[in-house]
Amino acid sequence: MNASPPECLRHSRRGEAKKNKQVPNASLVNGVDSPTLVRLAGRNDSTQKETMVKILSWLRLVAVSCLALILGGAGFAAFAADGVIKVGGLFGTTGPQANFGVPYSEGLKLAASEINAKGGVKVGDRTYTISVVLADTKSDPAQAIAEAQRMAADGVRIFFCCNLSAEAVPVLNAALPQGAIMVSPNAAVTKLLGTPGKDLLFKAGNIEVGDDGSTAMWVPFVLEKAKPKTAAIMVPSDEAGQIYADAYRQTLEAKGVKVVAVERYDHGATDFSPQLTKIRERKPDVLFAGYSDEVRGIFRQAGELGVDAMYAGTVGVSGAAGEGLPAFAYPAWTRFLDKGQSDRRVLAYMAALEKSAGKLTPNSFWSITQYDWLNMIISGMQKAGTTTDLGAVAKVLKGQRYAGLVDWSVDDKGLGRQSMEGVYLAGGQVKEVRSIKLPGH
């Protein structure tokens, strides 16, 4: 692959041309400028030690970035060269985010196994099989970067990453080789779509405000059930949580529902009484909480504290969060995978996934995101006639509609929007599963 030198190497070459004493670019060394570092070089005190720690931290980051980019150049020669298309899945499959990571991984594996069982995929005049390489990131950004580097060295050039925005953004910026496609479900990557150097980044799913954003698509289902005048929102204290809070507030207020409270909680928290006490005082008609099954504790404690409202999950919440509640609504981000489903294609998928994964769980619907997107990328390769020019494949993917298990619409920046299903439970029983279509489909 003919690629320009990585930015880190260009910095190095400029330094060599200056021959001596110049330390790395001032703006990159934690805000300490070059002349200051030179003056500190002769000192033997705590300030010097602190500065050297900064330098070493910066050099480590540069080394990580350069290694990934250098491996990127070498690895493309191996990508699909032996008739195998290598796909990497970076998900937290243990720990608190496993309810996302496990089904994400299972969806990738099932898509690959079905393609291979049919004899592989023909692109141009060659037939390829799919190899899925999975790694448990343990919801740790450092672990995610290390695993991404390992995959890059092994020739992986299609990455599905990660459970958390705190993992996805560092992997994207520090570990992915040039020319690699990355598909992420994380809310925080949306703002990076279409920015310089991010042409091969895709976002699988959309919670953004707008007529074709999933929040605007999903909220009317809840409003129909609760007929609320007021609402409260409770989300995690992270970047994705803020995106959710903003999206739900704007959508609800646009529908004439007054948002009387927005509360935040830390991941891993078990006592939500301070936030719920404030919400109870505001007397909302509906409480939206998300964006994972951590909200089971929120809804349980809300009931114990007497928060008299209908409970609804945001995107990211499964039916497990509604256990024991008199009434509960949540969006199956893709398709509802349980009793009450009637679509024959989805029933066939449920049977195949159960056979492959060993069982279905309340979070199994997440698997469809990765399942559909891997099939979409392979279809893009066939249309582009290449497995190695992923830029050409990305151009095919953008601006298209794809009919998978759900309907997808990918815009020219790489944002994928999808249809979903709204689920309403009462007394622990599923009362309604409704298809929520993309506008225009």
Side-chain angles (χ1 to χ4, degrees):
M1 180 185 69
N2 294 323
S4 59
E7 181 64 20
C8 50
L9 294 183
R10 292 200 294 271
H11 277 299
S12 174
R13 289 173 183 177
R14 286 196 295 268
E16 289 172 8
K18 294 178 182 178
K19 291 187 179 179
N20 58 21
K21 294 186 182 179
Q22 276 286 17
V23 295
N25 186 288
S27 65
L28 298 177
V29 192
N30 295 318
V32 182
D33 60 34
S34 300
T36 300
L37 292 173
V38 171
R39 289 198 306 273
L40 289 169
R43 292 174 54 173
N44 185 23
D45 56 19
S46 60
T47 304
Q48 181 196 35
K49 292 179 181 178
E50 179 182 351
T51 302
M52 293 309 297
V53 168
K54 290 183 177 181
I55 296 172
L56 290 172
S57 297
W58 174 79
L59 289 174
R60 182 175 180 273
L61 177 60
V62 171
V64 166
S65 301
C66 286
L67 177 61
L69 292 171
I70 292 168
L71 289 175
F76 257 102
F79 178 63
D82 57 355
V84 179
I85 298 171
K86 296 180 180 179
V87 177
L90 293 156
F91 305 116
T93 53
T94 58
Q97 297 298 318
N99 60 308
F100 295 115
V102 171
Y104 284 156
S105 300
E106 295 296 346
L108 282 181
K109 289 193 293 185
L110 180 56
S113 67
E114 289 183 349
I115 292 170
N116 293 339
K118 295 175 182 177
V121 57
K122 188 171 183 179
V123 179
D125 59 358
R126 293 194 62 184
T127 299
Y128 299 84
T129 57
I130 314 298
S131 173
V132 173
V133 182
L134 297 171
D136 181 6
T137 67
K138 306 181 189 300
S139 300
D140 178 359
Q143 180 78 9
I145 289 174
E147 294 292 355
Q149 292 170 347
R150 180 180 62 80
M151 290 181 182
D154 192 39
V156 171
R157 290 298 172 271
I158 300 171
F159 292 82
F160 287 79
C161 170
C162 302
N163 298 39
L164 296 173
S165 299
E167 300 171 287
V169 175
V171 166
L172 176 65
N173 289 333
L176 252 62
Q178 291 180 335
I181 282 179
M182 176 167 158
V183 179
S184 177
N186 299 115
V189 306
T190 306
K191 63 186 179 184
L192 301 175
L193 295 170
T195 59
K198 304 296 188 292
D199 294 337
L200 304 188
L201 172 64
F202 292 87
K203 168 75 162 57
N206 168 45
I207 66 164
E208 281 68 29
V209 177
D211 291 341
D212 52 2
S214 63
T215 304
M217 292 165 57
W218 151 243
V219 164
F221 180 81
V222 179
L223 302 188
E224 178 187 308
K225 303 299 180 186
K227 297 178 173 56
K229 295 181 179 179
T230 59
I233 301 166
M234 192 161 171
V235 291
S237 300
D238 59 16
E239 184 177 4
Q242 186 61 54
I243 293 171
Y244 274 66
D246 292 343
Y248 275 81
R249 177 192 286 277
Q250 293 178 44
T251 300
L252 287 164
E253 290 179 346
K255 298 292 184 182
V257 179
K258 183 179 180 180
V259 177
V260 295
V262 177
E263 293 292 331
R264 312 295 290 272
Y265 67 91
D266 294 331
H267 287 292
T270 56
D271 180 11
F272 309 101
S273 56
Q275 300 96 320
L276 291 171
T277 298
K278 294 178 184 178
I279 289 174
R280 182 184 61 191
E281 292 171 354
R282 297 287 184 171
K283 298 180 179 180
D285 297 319
V286 60
L287 169 59
F288 285 93
Y291 51 81
S292 74
D293 281 347
E294 287 179 306
V295 301
R296 280 184 286 188
I298 292 175
F299 291 137
R300 177 179 56 78
Q301 290 181 31
E304 294 170 354
L305 290 169
V307 178
D308 186 16
M310 177 179 169
Y311 301 148
T314 69
V315 166
V317 174
S318 79
E323 293 176 359
L325 299 179
F328 178 63
Y330 74 96
W333 179 240
T334 54
R335 303 298 297 266
F336 178 66
L337 302 184
D338 207 337
K339 295 178 181 178
Q341 180 58 257
S342 58
D343 187 300
R344 290 184 178 180
R345 286 196 311 151
V346 179
L347 291 171
Y349 177 81
M350 289 169 60
L353 183 63
E354 185 171 17
K355 182 178 180 181
S356 173
K359 63 178 180 179
L360 297 179
T361 72
N363 291 285
S364 289
F365 62 83
W366 288 109
S367 66
I368 292 177
T369 305
Q370 317 306 318
Y371 177 89
D372 271 359
W373 269 84
L374 180 51
N375 277 297
M376 197 188 314
I377 290 171
I378 297 304
S379 174
M381 287 180 169
Q382 289 180 302
K383 292 177 181 178
T386 179
T387 60
T388 55
D389 185 354
L390 299 184
V393 176
K395 288 180 180 178
V396 170
L397 297 177
K398 293 179 181 179
Q400 76 159 344
R401 289 187 171 181
Y402 179 81
L405 285 170
V406 299
D407 292 324
W408 293 92
S409 176
V410 185
D411 69 14
D412 58 2
K413 292 184 178 180
L415 176 60
R417 297 176 171 89
Q418 86 288 350
S419 59
M420 63 180 76
E421 291 182 329
V423 185
Y424 177 67
L425 299 91
Q429 301 297 315
V430 175
K431 296 299 184 180
E432 184 180 1
V433 178
R434 183 185 302 176
S435 174
I436 303 176
K437 298 182 181 298
L438 273 171
H441 276 241

